[in-house]
Amino acid sequence: MPKKKSSQVKGAQAWRTVALRYPECEEGTACNKSAFKARKKSYLFLGTDMNSYNVMVKLGDSRNEAERMAANDPDNVSVGPHWITATFDDKTPLP
């Protein structure tokens, strides 16, 4: 099995590090993704493959900012009713 590129691993690790700073954070898995919960409520999912990683983050008061991100990069960012999903390839820097 081919290895994941170090940039995907570093990107996903950066998101994981931030997520684990939240009080009462629990890390688990869901649908082959790393899943993060606080007080039994999910707020972040991370997935990686050979060429990219994706992040799914629960929206709160940041919906307007998420919609701006999606408008600027519709191929890689989408906004649902409660979540924003972003995909980063191995050349894309973290936002």
Side-chain angles (χ1 to χ4, degrees):
M1 174 181 258
K3 288 185 171 184
K4 293 176 185 170
K5 295 182 180 176
S6 65
S7 57
Q8 279 107 338
V9 173
K10 287 178 185 175
Q13 184 62 35
W15 283 91
R16 181 179 179 273
T17 299
V18 171
L20 291 173
R21 291 181 186 154
Y22 282 86
E24 301 180 48
C25 178
E26 298 174 28
E27 181 179 9
T29 58
C31 301
N32 291 333
K33 296 182 184 294
S34 295
F36 298 86
K37 294 180 180 181
R39 298 184 182 160
K40 304 198 186 279
K41 295 195 181 233
S42 297
Y43 65 93
L44 173 66
F45 296 92
L46 296 173
T48 60
D49 64 22
M50 297 314 302
N51 299 312
S52 65
Y53 67 96
N54 61 57
V55 180
M56 196 167 129
V57 182
K58 182 85 172 205
L59 289 171
D61 296 334
S62 59
R63 182 169 192 80
N64 290 338
E65 182 178 353
E67 288 175 346
R68 279 192 299 277
M69 288 175 67
N72 289 334
D73 192 1
D75 292 334
N76 296 310
V77 180
S78 63
V79 178
H82 304 287
W83 296 85
I84 181 173
T85 303
T87 302
F88 302 95
D89 63 28
D90 60 336
K91 297 169 191 75
T92 305
L94 287 171

Coordinates of all heavy atoms in Angstrom, one line a residue:
M1 N 0.8 -1.2 0.0 CA 0.0 0.0 0.0 C 0.9 1.2 0.0 O 1.8 1.4 0.8 CB -0.9 0.0 1.2 CG -1.7 1.2 1.4 SD -2.7 1.2 2.9 CE -4.3 0.8 2.1
P2 N 0.7 2.2 -0.9 CA 1.5 3.4 -1.0 C 1.3 4.3 0.3 O 0.2 4.3 0.9 CB 1.0 4.2 -2.2 CG 0.0 3.3 -2.9 CD -0.3 2.1 -2.0
K3 N 2.3 5.0 0.6 CA 2.3 5.9 1.8 C 1.5 7.2 1.5 O 1.6 7.7 0.3 CB 3.7 6.2 2.3 CG 4.4 5.1 2.9 CD 5.7 5.6 3.4 CE 6.4 4.6 4.3 NZ 7.6 5.1 4.9
K4 N 0.9 7.8 2.5 CA 0.3 9.1 2.3 C 1.4 10.1 2.3 O 2.5 9.9 2.9 CB -0.6 9.4 3.5 CG -1.8 8.5 3.5 CD -2.6 8.8 4.8 CE -3.8 7.8 4.8 NZ -4.5 7.8 6.0
K5 N 1.2 11.2 1.6 CA 2.2 12.2 1.5 C 2.3 13.0 2.8 O 1.4 13.1 3.5 CB 1.9 13.2 0.3 CG 1.9 12.5 -1.0 CD 1.6 13.5 -2.1 CE 1.7 12.7 -3.4 NZ 1.3 13.5 -4.6
S6 N 3.5 13.4 3.1 CA 3.8 14.0 4.4 C 2.9 15.3 4.6 O 2.6 15.6 5.7 CB 5.2 14.3 4.6 OG 5.7 15.3 3.7
S7 N 2.6 16.0 3.5 CA 1.8 17.2 3.7 C 0.4 16.9 4.1 O -0.2 17.6 4.9 CB 1.8 18.0 2.4 OG 1.3 17.2 1.3
Q8 N -0.2 15.8 3.6 CA -1.5 15.4 4.1 C -1.4 15.0 5.6 O -2.3 15.4 6.4 CB -2.1 14.2 3.4 CG -2.6 14.5 2.1 CD -1.7 14.1 0.9 OE1 -0.5 13.9 1.1 NE2 -2.3 14.0 -0.2
V9 N -0.4 14.3 6.0 CA -0.3 13.9 7.4 C -0.1 15.1 8.2 O -0.8 15.3 9.3 CB 0.9 12.9 7.5 CG1 1.1 12.6 9.0 CG2 0.6 11.6 6.8
K10 N 0.8 16.0 7.8 CA 1.0 17.3 8.6 C -0.3 18.1 8.7 O -0.6 18.7 9.8 CB 2.1 18.1 8.0 CG 3.5 17.5 8.2 CD 4.5 18.3 7.5 CE 5.9 17.7 7.6 NZ 6.9 18.4 6.9
G11 N -1.0 18.2 7.6 CA -2.2 19.0 7.6 C -3.3 18.4 8.5 O -3.9 19.1 9.4
A12 N -3.5 17.2 8.4 CA -4.5 16.5 9.3 C -4.0 16.6 10.8 O -4.8 16.8 11.7 CB -4.7 15.1 8.9
Q13 N -2.7 16.4 11.0 CA -2.2 16.5 12.4 C -2.4 17.9 13.0 O -2.7 18.0 14.1 CB -0.7 16.1 12.4 CG -0.1 16.0 13.8 CD -0.8 15.0 14.7 OE1 -1.2 13.9 14.2 NE2 -0.9 15.3 15.9
A14 N -2.2 18.9 12.2 CA -2.5 20.3 12.7 C -3.9 20.5 13.1 O -4.2 21.0 14.2 CB -2.1 21.3 11.6
W15 N -4.9 20.0 12.3 CA -6.3 20.1 12.7 C -6.5 19.3 14.0 O -7.2 19.7 14.9 CB -7.2 19.5 11.6 CG -7.3 20.5 10.5 CD1 -6.6 20.6 9.3 CD2 -8.3 21.5 10.3 NE1 -7.1 21.6 8.5 CE2 -8.1 22.1 9.1 CE3 -9.4 21.9 11.2 CZ2 -8.9 23.2 8.7 CZ3 -10.2 22.9 10.7 CH2 -10.0 23.6 9.5
R16 N -5.9 18.1 14.1 CA -6.1 17.2 15.2 C -5.6 17.9 16.5 O -6.2 17.9 17.6 CB -5.4 15.9 15.0 CG -5.5 14.9 16.1 CD -4.8 13.6 15.8 NE -4.9 12.7 16.9 CZ -4.1 12.7 18.0 NH1 -3.1 13.5 18.0 NH2 -4.3 11.8 19.0
T17 N -4.4 18.5 16.4 CA -3.8 19.2 17.5 C -4.7 20.3 18.1 O -4.9 20.4 19.3 CB -2.4 19.8 17.1 OG1 -1.6 18.7 16.7 CG2 -1.8 20.5 18.3
V18 N -5.3 21.1 17.2 CA -6.2 22.1 17.6 C -7.5 21.5 18.3 O -7.9 22.0 19.3 CB -6.6 23.0 16.4 CG1 -7.7 24.0 16.8 CG2 -5.3 23.8 16.0
A19 N -8.0 20.5 17.6 CA -9.2 19.9 18.1 C -9.0 19.3 19.6 O -9.9 19.5 20.4 CB -9.7 18.7 17.2
L20 N -7.9 18.7 19.8 CA -7.7 18.1 21.1 C -7.5 19.2 22.2 O -7.5 18.8 23.4 CB -6.5 17.2 21.1 CG -6.7 15.9 20.2 CD1 -5.5 15.1 20.1 CD2 -7.8 15.1 20.9
R21 N -7.4 20.4 21.9 CA -7.2 21.5 22.9 C -8.6 21.8 23.6 O -8.6 22.4 24.6 CB -6.7 22.7 22.3 CG -5.2 22.6 21.9 CD -4.7 23.9 21.3 NE -3.3 23.7 20.8 CZ -2.8 24.4 19.9 NH1 -3.5 25.4 19.3 NH2 -1.6 24.2 19.5
Y22 N -9.7 21.4 22.9 CA -11.0 21.8 23.5 C -11.2 21.0 24.7 O -10.9 19.8 24.8 CB -12.1 21.5 22.5 CG -12.2 22.6 21.4 CD1 -11.4 22.6 20.3 CD2 -13.1 23.7 21.6 CE1 -11.5 23.6 19.4 CE2 -13.1 24.7 20.7 CZ -12.3 24.6 19.6 OH -12.4 25.6 18.6
P23 N -11.9 21.6 25.8 CA -12.2 20.8 27.0 C -13.1 19.7 26.7 O -14.0 19.8 25.8 CB -12.9 21.9 27.9 CG -12.7 23.2 27.2 CD -12.3 22.9 25.8
E24 N -12.9 18.6 27.4 CA -13.7 17.4 27.3 C -13.7 16.8 25.9 O -14.7 16.1 25.5 CB -15.1 17.7 27.7 CG -15.2 18.2 29.2 CD -16.7 18.5 29.6 OE1 -17.5 17.6 29.4 OE2 -16.9 19.5 30.2
C25 N -12.7 17.0 25.1 CA -12.6 16.5 23.7 C -12.4 15.0 23.8 O -11.6 14.5 24.6 CB -11.5 17.1 23.0 SG -11.3 16.4 21.3
E26 N -13.1 14.2 23.0 CA -12.9 12.8 22.8 C -12.6 12.6 21.3 O -13.3 13.1 20.5 CB -14.2 12.0 23.2 CG -14.6 12.2 24.6 CD -15.9 11.5 24.9 OE1 -16.2 10.5 24.2 OE2 -16.6 12.0 25.8
E27 N -11.6 11.7 21.1 CA -11.3 11.4 19.7 C -11.7 9.9 19.4 O -11.5 9.0 20.3 CB -9.8 11.5 19.5 CG -9.4 11.2 18.0 CD -7.9 11.4 17.8 OE1 -7.1 11.6 18.8 OE2 -7.5 11.3 16.6
G28 N -12.3 9.7 18.3 CA -12.8 8.4 17.9 C -12.7 8.3 16.4 O -12.0 9.0 15.7
T29 N -13.5 7.3 15.9 CA -13.6 7.2 14.4 C -15.1 7.0 14.0 O -15.9 6.5 14.8 CB -12.8 6.0 13.9 OG1 -13.3 4.8 14.5 CG2 -11.3 6.1 14.1
A30 N -15.4 7.5 12.8 CA -16.7 7.3 12.2 C -16.5 7.3 10.7 O -15.8 8.2 10.1 CB -17.6 8.5 12.6
C31 N -17.0 6.3 10.0 CA -16.9 6.2 8.6 C -15.5 6.4 8.1 O -15.2 7.1 7.1 CB -17.8 7.3 7.9 SG -19.5 7.1 8.3
N32 N -14.5 5.7 8.7 CA -13.1 5.7 8.3 C -12.5 7.1 8.5 O -11.5 7.4 7.8 CB -12.9 5.2 6.9 CG -13.1 3.7 6.8 OD1 -13.0 3.0 7.8 ND2 -13.5 3.3 5.6
K33 N -13.0 8.0 9.3 CA -12.5 9.3 9.5 C -12.2 9.4 11.0 O -12.9 8.8 11.9 CB -13.5 10.4 9.1 CG -13.8 10.4 7.6 CD -14.7 11.5 7.3 CE -15.1 11.5 5.9 NZ -14.1 11.8 4.9
S34 N -11.3 10.3 11.4 CA -11.1 10.6 12.8 C -12.2 11.5 13.1 O -12.6 12.5 12.4 CB -9.8 11.4 13.0 OG -8.7 10.5 12.7
A35 N -12.8 11.3 14.3 CA -14.0 12.1 14.7 C -13.7 12.7 16.1 O -13.1 12.0 16.9 CB -15.2 11.2 14.8
F36 N -14.1 13.9 16.3 CA -13.9 14.6 17.5 C -15.2 15.1 18.1 O -16.0 15.7 17.4 CB -12.9 15.8 17.3 CG -11.6 15.3 16.8 CD1 -11.3 15.1 15.4 CD2 -10.5 15.1 17.7 CE1 -10.1 14.7 15.0 CE2 -9.3 14.6 17.2 CZ -9.1 14.4 15.8
K37 N -15.3 14.9 19.4 CA -16.6 15.3 20.1 C -16.2 16.0 21.4 O -15.1 15.8 22.0 CB -17.4 14.1 20.6 CG -17.9 13.2 19.5 CD -18.7 12.1 20.2 CE -19.3 11.2 19.1 NZ -20.1 10.1 19.8
A38 N -17.1 16.9 21.8 CA -16.9 17.6 23.1 C -18.3 17.5 23.7 O -19.3 17.9 23.0 CB -16.5 19.0 22.9
R39 N -18.4 17.0 24.9 CA -19.7 16.9 25.6 C -20.7 16.1 24.7 O -21.9 16.5 24.6 CB -20.3 18.3 26.0 CG -19.4 19.0 26.9 CD -20.0 20.3 27.4 NE -19.0 20.9 28.2 CZ -19.0 22.2 28.5 NH1 -19.9 23.0 28.0 NH2 -18.1 22.7 29.3
K40 N -20.2 15.0 24.1 CA -20.9 14.1 23.3 C -21.5 14.7 22.0 O -22.4 14.1 21.4 CB -22.0 13.5 24.2 CG -21.5 12.8 25.4 CD -22.5 11.8 26.0 CE -22.0 11.3 27.3 NZ -21.0 10.2 27.2
K41 N -21.0 15.8 21.6 CA -21.5 16.4 20.3 C -20.3 16.5 19.4 O -19.2 17.1 19.7 CB -22.0 17.8 20.6 CG -23.3 17.8 21.4 CD -24.0 19.1 21.3 CE -25.3 18.9 22.2 NZ -26.5 19.3 21.5
S42 N -20.5 15.9 18.2 CA -19.4 16.0 17.2 C -19.2 17.4 16.7 O -20.2 18.1 16.5 CB -19.8 15.0 16.0 OG -19.9 13.7 16.5
Y43 N -17.9 17.7 16.4 CA -17.7 19.0 15.8 C -16.6 19.0 14.7 O -16.4 20.0 14.0 CB -17.3 20.1 16.9 CG -16.0 19.8 17.6 CD1 -14.8 20.3 17.2 CD2 -16.0 19.0 18.8 CE1 -13.6 20.1 17.8 CE2 -14.8 18.7 19.4 CZ -13.6 19.3 19.0 OH -12.5 19.0 19.6
L44 N -15.9 17.8 14.5 CA -14.9 17.8 13.5 C -14.7 16.3 13.1 O -14.7 15.4 13.9 CB -13.6 18.3 14.1 CG -12.3 18.2 13.2 CD1 -12.4 19.0 12.0 CD2 -11.1 18.5 14.1
F45 N -14.6 16.2 11.7 CA -14.2 14.9 11.1 C -13.0 15.1 10.2 O -13.0 16.1 9.4 CB -15.4 14.3 10.3 CG -16.6 14.0 11.2 CD1 -17.6 14.9 11.4 CD2 -16.7 12.7 11.8 CE1 -18.7 14.6 12.2 CE2 -17.8 12.4 12.6 CZ -18.8 13.3 12.8
L46 N -12.0 14.3 10.2 CA -10.8 14.4 9.4 C -10.7 13.1 8.6 O -10.8 12.0 9.2 CB -9.6 14.6 10.2 CG -9.4 15.8 11.0 CD1 -8.2 15.7 11.9 CD2 -9.3 17.0 10.1
G47 N -10.4 13.2 7.3 CA -10.2 12.0 6.5 C -9.0 12.3 5.6 O -8.8 13.4 5.2
T48 N -8.2 11.2 5.3 CA -7.1 11.4 4.3 C -7.2 10.3 3.3 O -7.7 9.2 3.5 CB -5.8 11.3 5.0 OG1 -5.6 10.1 5.7 CG2 -5.6 12.4 6.0
D49 N -6.6 10.5 2.1 CA -6.4 9.5 1.1 C -5.0 9.7 0.5 O -4.2 10.5 1.1 CB -7.5 9.5 0.1 CG -7.6 10.7 -0.8 OD1 -6.6 11.5 -0.8 OD2 -8.7 11.0 -1.3
M50 N -4.8 9.2 -0.6 CA -3.4 9.3 -1.1 C -3.0 10.7 -1.7 O -1.9 11.0 -1.7 CB -3.2 8.3 -2.3 CG -3.4 6.8 -1.8 SD -2.5 6.4 -0.3 CE -0.8 6.8 -0.8
N51 N -4.0 11.5 -2.1 CA -3.7 12.7 -2.7 C -4.3 14.0 -1.9 O -4.0 15.1 -2.3 CB -4.3 12.8 -4.1 CG -3.7 11.7 -5.0 OD1 -2.5 11.5 -5.0 ND2 -4.5 10.9 -5.6
S52 N -5.1 13.7 -0.9 CA -5.7 14.9 -0.2 C -6.1 14.5 1.2 O -6.1 13.3 1.6 CB -6.9 15.4 -1.0 OG -7.9 14.4 -1.1
Y53 N -6.6 15.5 1.9 CA -7.3 15.2 3.1 C -8.5 16.1 3.2 O -8.5 17.2 2.5 CB -6.4 15.4 4.4 CG -5.9 16.8 4.7 CD1 -6.6 17.6 5.6 CD2 -4.8 17.3 4.1 CE1 -6.2 18.9 5.8 CE2 -4.3 18.6 4.3 CZ -5.1 19.4 5.2 OH -4.6 20.6 5.5
N54 N -9.5 15.7 3.9 CA -10.7 16.6 4.0 C -11.1 16.8 5.4 O -10.7 16.0 6.3 CB -11.9 16.0 3.2 CG -12.3 14.6 3.6 OD1 -12.6 14.5 4.8 ND2 -12.3 13.7 2.8
V55 N -11.7 17.9 5.6 CA -12.1 18.4 7.0 C -13.6 18.7 6.9 O -14.0 19.4 6.0 CB -11.3 19.6 7.3 CG1 -11.7 20.1 8.7 CG2 -9.8 19.4 7.3
M56 N -14.3 18.2 7.9 CA -15.7 18.6 8.0 C -15.9 19.2 9.4 O -15.6 18.5 10.4 CB -16.6 17.3 7.8 CG -18.0 17.6 7.6 SD -18.8 16.0 7.0 CE -20.1 16.0 8.1
V57 N -16.3 20.4 9.5 CA -16.4 21.2 10.7 C -17.8 21.7 11.0 O -18.4 22.2 10.0 CB -15.4 22.4 10.7 CG1 -15.4 23.1 12.0 CG2 -14.0 22.0 10.4
K58 N -18.2 21.5 12.2 CA -19.6 22.0 12.6 C -19.6 23.5 12.5 O -18.7 24.2 13.0 CB -19.9 21.5 14.0 CG -21.2 21.9 14.5 CD -22.2 20.9 14.1 CE -23.6 21.1 14.7 NZ -24.4 20.0 14.8
L59 N -20.6 24.1 11.9 CA -20.8 25.5 11.8 C -21.5 26.0 13.0 O -22.4 25.4 13.5 CB -21.6 25.9 10.6 CG -20.9 25.7 9.2 CD1 -21.9 25.9 8.1 CD2 -19.8 26.7 9.1
G60 N -21.1 27.1 13.5 CA -21.8 27.9 14.5 C -22.1 29.3 14.0 O -22.8 29.4 13.0
D61 N -21.5 30.2 14.6 CA -21.6 31.6 14.2 C -20.8 31.9 13.0 O -20.8 33.1 12.5 CB -21.2 32.6 15.3 CG -22.2 32.4 16.5 OD1 -23.3 32.0 16.3 OD2 -21.8 32.7 17.7
S62 N -20.1 31.0 12.4 CA -19.1 31.2 11.3 C -19.7 30.9 10.0 O -19.0 30.8 9.0 CB -17.9 30.4 11.5 OG -18.2 29.0 11.6
R63 N -21.0 30.8 9.9 CA -21.7 30.4 8.6 C -21.3 31.4 7.5 O -21.0 31.0 6.4 CB -23.2 30.3 8.8 CG -23.8 29.9 7.5 CD -25.3 29.5 7.7 NE -25.8 28.9 6.5 CZ -25.5 27.6 6.1 NH1 -24.8 26.9 6.9 NH2 -26.0 27.1 5.0
N64 N -21.4 32.7 7.7 CA -21.1 33.7 6.7 C -19.7 33.6 6.2 O -19.4 33.6 5.0 CB -21.3 35.1 7.2 CG -22.8 35.4 7.4 OD1 -23.7 34.8 6.8 ND2 -23.1 36.4 8.3
E65 N -18.7 33.4 7.1 CA -17.4 33.2 6.7 C -17.2 31.9 5.8 O -16.5 31.8 4.8 CB -16.4 33.1 7.9 CG -15.0 33.0 7.5 CD -14.1 32.9 8.7 OE1 -14.5 33.2 9.8 OE2 -12.9 32.7 8.5
A66 N -17.9 30.8 6.2 CA -17.9 29.6 5.5 C -18.4 29.7 4.1 O -17.9 29.2 3.1 CB -18.6 28.5 6.3
E67 N -19.5 30.5 4.0 CA -20.1 30.7 2.7 C -19.2 31.5 1.8 O -19.1 31.3 0.6 CB -21.5 31.4 2.8 CG -22.5 30.4 3.3 CD -23.9 31.0 3.6 OE1 -24.0 32.3 3.7 OE2 -24.8 30.3 3.8
R68 N -18.4 32.5 2.3 CA -17.4 33.2 1.6 C -16.3 32.3 1.1 O -15.9 32.4 -0.1 CB -16.8 34.4 2.4 CG -17.7 35.6 2.4 CD -17.0 36.8 3.0 NE -16.5 36.6 4.3 CZ -17.2 36.8 5.4 NH1 -18.5 37.2 5.3 NH2 -16.7 36.6 6.6
M69 N -15.9 31.4 2.0 CA -14.8 30.4 1.6 C -15.3 29.5 0.4 O -14.6 29.3 -0.5 CB -14.4 29.6 2.8 CG -13.6 30.3 3.8 SD -13.3 29.2 5.3 CE -12.3 28.0 4.5
A70 N -16.6 29.1 0.5 CA -17.1 28.2 -0.5 C -17.3 29.0 -1.8 O -17.0 28.4 -2.9 CB -18.5 27.7 -0.1
A71 N -17.7 30.3 -1.8 CA -17.8 31.1 -3.0 C -16.4 31.3 -3.7 O -16.3 31.3 -4.9 CB -18.4 32.4 -2.7
N72 N -15.4 31.4 -2.9 CA -14.0 31.6 -3.4 C -13.4 30.3 -3.9 O -12.5 30.4 -4.7 CB -13.1 32.2 -2.3 CG -13.5 33.7 -2.1 OD1 -14.1 34.4 -2.9 ND2 -13.2 34.1 -0.8
D73 N -13.8 29.2 -3.4 CA -13.2 27.9 -3.8 C -14.3 26.8 -3.9 O -14.2 25.9 -3.1 CB -12.1 27.6 -2.8 CG -11.2 26.4 -3.3 OD1 -11.5 25.9 -4.4 OD2 -10.3 26.0 -2.5
P74 N -15.3 26.9 -4.8 CA -16.4 26.0 -4.9 C -16.0 24.5 -5.2 O -16.7 23.6 -4.9 CB -17.3 26.6 -5.9 CG -16.4 27.4 -6.8 CD -15.3 27.9 -5.9
D75 N -14.8 24.3 -5.8 CA -14.4 23.0 -6.1 C -13.9 22.2 -4.9 O -13.9 21.0 -4.9 CB -13.2 23.0 -7.1 CG -13.7 23.5 -8.5 OD1 -14.9 23.3 -8.8 OD2 -12.9 24.0 -9.3
N76 N -13.5 23.0 -3.9 CA -12.9 22.3 -2.7 C -13.6 22.6 -1.4 O -13.3 22.0 -0.4 CB -11.4 22.7 -2.5 CG -10.6 22.3 -3.7 OD1 -10.6 21.1 -4.1 ND2 -9.9 23.2 -4.3
V77 N -14.6 23.5 -1.4 CA -15.3 23.9 -0.1 C -16.8 23.9 -0.4 O -17.2 24.4 -1.4 CB -14.8 25.3 0.4 CG1 -15.6 25.6 1.6 CG2 -13.3 25.3 0.6
S78 N -17.5 23.2 0.5 CA -19.0 23.2 0.4 C -19.6 23.5 1.8 O -19.0 23.1 2.8 CB -19.5 21.9 -0.2 OG -19.2 20.8 0.6
V79 N -20.7 24.1 1.8 CA -21.4 24.4 3.0 C -22.8 23.8 3.0 O -23.5 23.9 2.1 CB -21.6 26.0 3.2 CG1 -22.3 26.3 4.5 CG2 -20.2 26.7 3.2
G80 N -23.0 23.0 4.1 CA -24.3 22.4 4.2 C -25.1 23.1 5.3 O -24.6 24.2 5.8
P81 N -26.2 22.6 5.8 CA -27.0 23.3 6.8 C -26.3 23.5 8.1 O -26.5 24.5 8.7 CB -28.2 22.4 7.0 CG -28.2 21.4 5.8 CD -26.8 21.4 5.3
H82 N -25.4 22.6 8.5 CA -24.7 22.7 9.8 C -23.2 22.5 9.7 O -22.6 22.5 10.7 CB -25.3 21.7 10.8 CG -26.8 21.8 10.9 ND1 -27.4 22.8 11.6 CD2 -27.8 21.1 10.4 CE1 -28.7 22.7 11.5 NE2 -29.0 21.6 10.8
W83 N -22.7 22.1 8.5 CA -21.3 21.8 8.4 C -20.7 22.4 7.2 O -21.3 22.7 6.2 CB -21.2 20.2 8.2 CG -21.6 19.4 9.4 CD1 -22.9 19.1 9.6 CD2 -20.9 18.9 10.5 NE1 -23.0 18.4 10.8 CE2 -21.7 18.3 11.3 CE3 -19.5 19.0 10.8 CZ2 -21.3 17.6 12.5 CZ3 -19.1 18.4 11.9 CH2 -20.0 17.7 12.8
I84 N -19.4 22.6 7.3 CA -18.6 23.0 6.1 C -17.6 21.9 5.9 O -17.0 21.3 6.8 CB -17.8 24.3 6.4 CG1 -17.0 24.7 5.1 CG2 -16.9 24.3 7.6 CD1 -16.3 26.1 5.2
T85 N -17.4 21.5 4.6 CA -16.5 20.5 4.2 C -15.5 21.1 3.3 O -15.8 21.8 2.3 CB -17.2 19.3 3.5 OG1 -18.3 18.8 4.3 CG2 -16.3 18.2 3.1
A86 N -14.2 20.9 3.6 CA -13.1 21.4 2.7 C -12.2 20.3 2.4 O -11.9 19.4 3.3 CB -12.4 22.5 3.5
T87 N -11.7 20.3 1.2 CA -10.7 19.3 0.7 C -9.4 20.0 0.4 O -9.5 21.0 -0.3 CB -11.2 18.5 -0.5 OG1 -12.5 17.8 -0.1 CG2 -10.2 17.4 -0.9
F88 N -8.3 19.5 0.8 CA -7.0 20.1 0.6 C -6.1 19.1 -0.1 O -6.0 17.9 0.4 CB -6.3 20.5 1.9 CG -7.2 21.5 2.7 CD1 -8.0 21.0 3.7 CD2 -7.1 22.8 2.4 CE1 -8.8 21.9 4.4 CE2 -7.9 23.7 3.1 CZ -8.7 23.3 4.1
D89 N -5.5 19.4 -1.2 CA -4.5 18.5 -1.8 C -3.2 18.7 -1.2 O -3.0 19.6 -0.3 CB -4.5 18.7 -3.4 CG -4.0 20.1 -3.8 OD1 -3.3 20.7 -3.1 OD2 -4.4 20.5 -4.9
D90 N -2.2 18.0 -1.7 CA -0.9 18.0 -1.1 C -0.1 19.3 -1.3 O 0.9 19.6 -0.7 CB 0.0 16.8 -1.5 CG 0.2 16.7 -3.0 OD1 -0.6 17.3 -3.7 OD2 1.2 16.1 -3.4
K91 N -0.7 20.2 -2.2 CA 0.0 21.5 -2.5 C -0.7 22.7 -1.8 O -0.2 23.8 -1.9 CB 0.0 21.7 -4.0 CG 0.9 20.6 -4.7 CD 0.7 20.7 -6.2 CE 1.3 19.6 -7.0 NZ 0.5 18.3 -6.9
T92 N -1.9 22.4 -1.3 CA -2.7 23.5 -0.7 C -2.2 23.8 0.8 O -2.3 22.8 1.6 CB -4.2 23.2 -0.7 OG1 -4.5 22.9 -2.1 CG2 -5.0 24.3 -0.2
P93 N -1.9 25.0 1.1 CA -1.5 25.3 2.5 C -2.8 25.3 3.4 O -3.9 25.5 2.9 CB -0.9 26.7 2.4 CG -1.4 27.3 1.2 CD -1.7 26.2 0.2
L94 N -2.6 25.1 4.6 CA -3.7 25.2 5.6 C -4.3 26.6 5.6 O -3.5 27.6 5.5 CB -3.3 24.8 7.0 CG -3.0 23.4 7.3 CD1 -2.4 23.2 8.6 CD2 -4.3 22.6 7.2
P95 N -5.6 26.8 5.8 CA -6.2 28.1 5.8 C -5.8 28.8 7.2 O -5.4 28.1 8.1 CB -7.7 27.9 5.7 CG -7.9 26.4 6.1 CD -6.6 25.7 5.8

